[in-house]
Amino acid sequence: MPKMTRRRVALRAVVAAGLAVVGAAAATAAAKLGGDATGAAGAEAGGAVATGSHNGDGPHAHLPLLELERRDLAARIAAAPHGEPVQFELSEWVAAMKNYHVELSSHELDVLSRGGTTEEVAAGLEEVRLAGKASVRAVAPPLTSGLCTTDYRTRKEAGDMWPGERWAWTQAMLGLHQLQGANGRTVFEQLVELHSVNAAQAHGSVQFLPWHFFYLTILETALRAIDPYVTLPYWAWSRDAVAPYNAPIWEDWFLGKTVSGQCIQTGPFVNFTTNIPVNHCVLRGFTSGPAPTGSMDFALEDETTVNALVADANLTFAEWAGTWEITHGGPHLAVGGATVRGDMWRVSRSPNDPVFFLHHAYVEKVWRDRQAAQGASYSGTHRGTPVSVSDRLVPFDLPVWRAVWDRCVWYRPTTRSFPGGTPTPSGRVSRATRARQAVMLREFFRENGLTANVDKVDAAQEVLARASNT
Ligand SMILES: *[C@@H]1O[C@H](CO)[C@@H](O)[C@H](O)[C@H]1NC(C)=O
Ligand SMILES: *[C@@H]1O[C@H](CO)[C@@H](O)[C@H](O)[C@H]1NC(C)=O
Ligand SMILES: [Cu+2]
């Protein structure tokens, strides 16, 4: 590891120790440290949590990271005998993510590359690294201050990414699926399983947001161990509300052409197959392409509606989060398909489809937008009990406020066009469509065991109808 890196790590370790001393009483203070939207922290009972929200023209208000180093893991990688595969256990990633974040040196990456099961992995990773460096470095925005400087992660709308950036992300994803983890699972499959095993804890309340926040952080950090320049793309599906089946993400060069009920047809993920919960190729329940051959049996909310939801100051955080969780079911239904019930339709396997992570990155971005607009409140109930930022997230055993600690992630607002046409008014979901879709949403949540959401569907549809002015 170069000297500069070591010094940076040491500095952060000191910061971490200092914060650890603050300890359990730190929830409120930590929430105040955690981001820039703290002014309204006291606006709602139950505490506040800030997700390091950044808006508009660039990053600001960077604060010390709590995710400081991953030295045990890095040391073990460095110590691996040449030619021996390095085993990656998901539990180690999770443990590492609790406190530590460090870029692996190129030497460590070399060793990591050897950890794959085939020669191709190593060769592929090397290629990815070079491509990523070439395309991503050049577009990194100017940095201002703070420890985030070298760890800055820009998450872009997929359509705004350079081809090389998109390609690097797909290769890092495939790389995770080539690394062997425990129990005969690949690291990618372990991540998918983490979501299904903890589905009950991860959904059905405001915990939905911090749980998936941390989940995405784990995935992104794992990807960045393969290629340190990769960040997670997001899919602003509200921009594709008019014709989501024809969205650019389904192109050959990215998530691949889709035929309803068949394996992924083209692209890096062609015939993408996983073992979760049983061996199968990832299925989607629609056919991509221009209408009418490519249609989805579920309409997505358009950007005007999502923006209005973000701007709605009348909702408590719990009401807002409930509405947003119901809304997020839309892309799960649209992509998985109510008839085919492909991977995105089933909570027990939804992260098998790479689009899951782009969808959830957008879910997180909108949460951040809401924090920026309405304050970083965190209140409501989980299974009838009031939530707090000190609640521990299962299975991460982390309090909420630490799970969403600023990891120097910045969502760059998108400027890409609306391929199917402008979002209003043709993209708006009519009240009649909503009523029809409410039936599908209730079935979706019920069949997936997320019963707490079933009763929220009607209220959410009412809020959305108001927001879209239909
Ligand atoms: C994908 O699977 C189909 C069906 O088994 C097969 O015909 C096709 O050749 C596969 N494509 C690739 C690129 O592996
Ligand atoms: C919020 O409440 C006020 C007062 O009841 C009402 O006039 C306004 O339309 C509401 N806004 C939204 C977005 O529902
Ligand atoms: Cu989920």
Side-chain angles (χ1 to χ4, degrees), residues 43-44 98 149 183 201 259 281 319 338 341 353 383 469:
E44 292 176 46
K98 283 184 181 177
T149 300
N183 305 325
Q201 286 81 20
V259 173
C281 70
E319 289 167 339
R341 298 192 174 182
D353 191 331
R383 301 180 188 288
N469 202 16

Side-chain angles (χ1 to χ4, degrees), residues 387-403:
V387 299
S388 140
V389 289
S390 305
D391 292 344
R392 302 189 88 78
L393 294 179
V394 177
F396 309 123
D397 195 26
L398 271 182
V400 166
W401 65 267
R402 275 184 65 179

Side-chain angles (χ1 to χ4, degrees), residues 372-454:
Q374 314 292 346
S377 57
Y378 186 79
S379 60
T381 58
H382 186 58
R383 301 180 188 288
T385 307
V387 299
S388 140
V389 289
S390 305
D391 292 344
R392 302 189 88 78
L393 294 179
V394 177
F396 309 123
D397 195 26
L398 271 182
V400 166
W401 65 267
R402 275 184 65 179
V404 302
W405 193 266
D406 187 1
R407 290 186 166 79
C408 304
V409 165
W410 176 55
Y411 282 86
R412 199 173 82 169
T414 180
T415 53
R416 84 158 160 90
S417 60
F418 297 86
T422 51
T424 58
S426 53
R428 300 230 191 136
V429 181
S430 70
R431 276 188 180 262
T433 301
R434 279 225 168 75
R436 192 162 43 74
Q437 294 194 153
V439 177
M440 296 164 77
L441 275 167
R442 274 192 290 268
E443 185 186 23
F444 166 73
F445 287 119
R446 193 170 47 242
E447 292 286 307
N448 277 298
L450 307 179
T451 47
N453 287 341
V454 176

